[in-house]
Amino acid sequence: VGCDRSKNLVDICGEKHFQAFVCDALSVPIRSGSCDACISIAVIHHFSTAERRLATIRELARLLRPGGTALIYVWAMEQEYKNQKSKYLKEKNGSKNKDKEMNTGTAQRPLSDQGPDVSSQDSAWSEQLLNDLKDESCGAKPIADFRLPIHTNRTTFHSQDLLVPWHLKGGTKKKEENTDTVLVSGGSKESQELSPVFHRYYHVFCEGELEAVCRSLDCVRVQKSYYDQGNWCVILEKL
């Protein structure tokens, strides 16, 4: 059984005859102790406070039966680990769309493609307030002007808390949408179109951070903690 915050993604699951429903990871409408296993991939790093990230893991644990296991993946601050670059960094020069640009009306910015095996993302700038977790560990730089920085695609991270714009390729912007727009250059004028850009929050995890959050819960134990292609991963067992 799958669940997601996006109705469109859940609808796709239905078209493929999978069981899925819309819900919030902080409150999953499934009976406590009813799951043999749970998987949370690229979800928890979107919650903007330490309290909400912990609450999400606690909710995941609630669903498990005693002895049940959970697998959690979150985006890692360390995109180069043990002298090995992640697939995300290695593909910096491999994207066919890397040299395309988009015009926001104030600057020319390169289109970016995918995150570390998670989703499509673009580079841009934002002036959103940063109100939580100005963590200077992992080499993260403090943000003096309280703005959330924007990660430049296919590069190492310089902050744990940031916004990643999502360029909706092939979309058209409605007048009432409160989003930035980009003009994709290249090709004929007919192929150019305005597309909305949605700013998405990420908290990238330092080594040991996800494991420490999980160990703070008395109801689970960490079976395994490891690094996988730019992600920190934990396997939990319900006690």
Side-chain angles (χ1 to χ4, degrees):
V1 177
C3 59
D4 199 278
R5 200 70 174 86
S6 167
K7 181 181 182 300
N8 289 340
L9 291 179
V10 169
D11 287 344
I12 292 173
C13 291
E15 292 168 2
K16 295 178 179 294
H17 307 292
F18 294 122
Q19 297 185 70
F21 58 90
V22 176
C23 82
D24 191 309
L26 288 168
S27 181
V28 181
I30 293 179
R31 187 176 70 251
S32 298
S34 61
C35 297
D36 295 313
C38 294
I39 299 175
S40 174
I41 305 294
V43 173
I44 296 174
H45 56 215
H46 287 299
F47 286 97
S48 61
T49 68
E51 291 78 12
R52 288 167 68 82
R53 292 189 287 271
L54 175 61
T56 308
I57 298 174
R58 183 183 291 112
E59 178 69 355
L60 199 67
R62 179 189 67 80
L63 303 174
L64 292 171
R65 63 164 175 76
T69 57
L71 172 65
I72 300 172
Y73 264 60
V74 294
W75 205 349
M77 178 82 176
E78 301 85 356
Q79 289 298 306
E80 186 168 348
Y81 186 67
K82 294 184 178 179
N83 297 320
Q84 292 289 325
K85 290 184 178 181
S86 67
K87 182 180 178 181
Y88 174 69
L89 291 183
K90 287 179 180 178
E91 290 183 353
K92 180 176 182 180
N93 298 318
S95 172
K96 295 180 181 179
N97 296 324
K98 183 176 183 298
D99 294 328
K100 290 184 180 180
E101 292 186 347
M102 54 185 180
N103 181 8
T104 65
T106 58
Q108 292 289 332
R109 299 162 186 163
L111 278 178
S112 59
D113 38 16
Q114 292 186 347
D117 303 322
V118 174
S119 59
S120 296
Q121 298 153 346
D122 296 323
S123 295
W125 297 97
S126 173
E127 297 185 358
Q128 301 292 327
L129 292 178
L130 175 61
N131 293 318
D132 180 61
L133 291 177
K134 303 173 188 67
D135 193 339
E136 298 182 28
S137 59
C138 303
K141 298 177 180 178
I143 303 170
D145 61 1
F146 299 100
R147 295 176 181 178
L148 279 177
I150 297 300
H151 173 59
T152 301
N153 185 60
R154 303 296 175 182
T155 64
T156 56
F157 291 110
H158 299 291
S159 173
Q160 281 193 270
D161 296 273
L162 45 87
L163 290 174
V164 179
W166 176 285
H167 174 211
L168 186 61
K169 297 177 177 64
T172 56
K173 182 179 181 297
K174 298 178 182 179
K175 290 183 179 179
E176 64 271 17
E177 285 185 293
N178 184 23
T179 59
D180 293 337
T181 59
V182 295
L183 179 63
V184 181
S185 61
S188 64
K189 291 183 179 180
E190 290 77 11
S191 67
Q192 295 181 358
E193 60 184 19
L194 285 174
S195 298
V197 175
F198 300 94
H199 292 169
R200 309 176 74 207
Y201 171 85
Y202 282 80
H203 171 82
V204 290
F205 282 68
C206 291
E207 181 174 10
E209 182 180 355
L210 176 61
E211 184 176 356
V213 175
C214 294
R215 290 190 187 281
S216 70
L217 296 176
D218 294 333
C219 58
V220 296
R221 74 175 182 90
V222 176
Q223 279 190 343
K224 186 178 181 181
S225 179
Y226 60 98
Y227 179 89
D228 181 25
Q229 289 297 338
N231 299 279
W232 286 114
C233 320
V234 161
I235 298 177
L236 301 176
E237 181 184 2
K238 178 70 171 289
L239 299 176

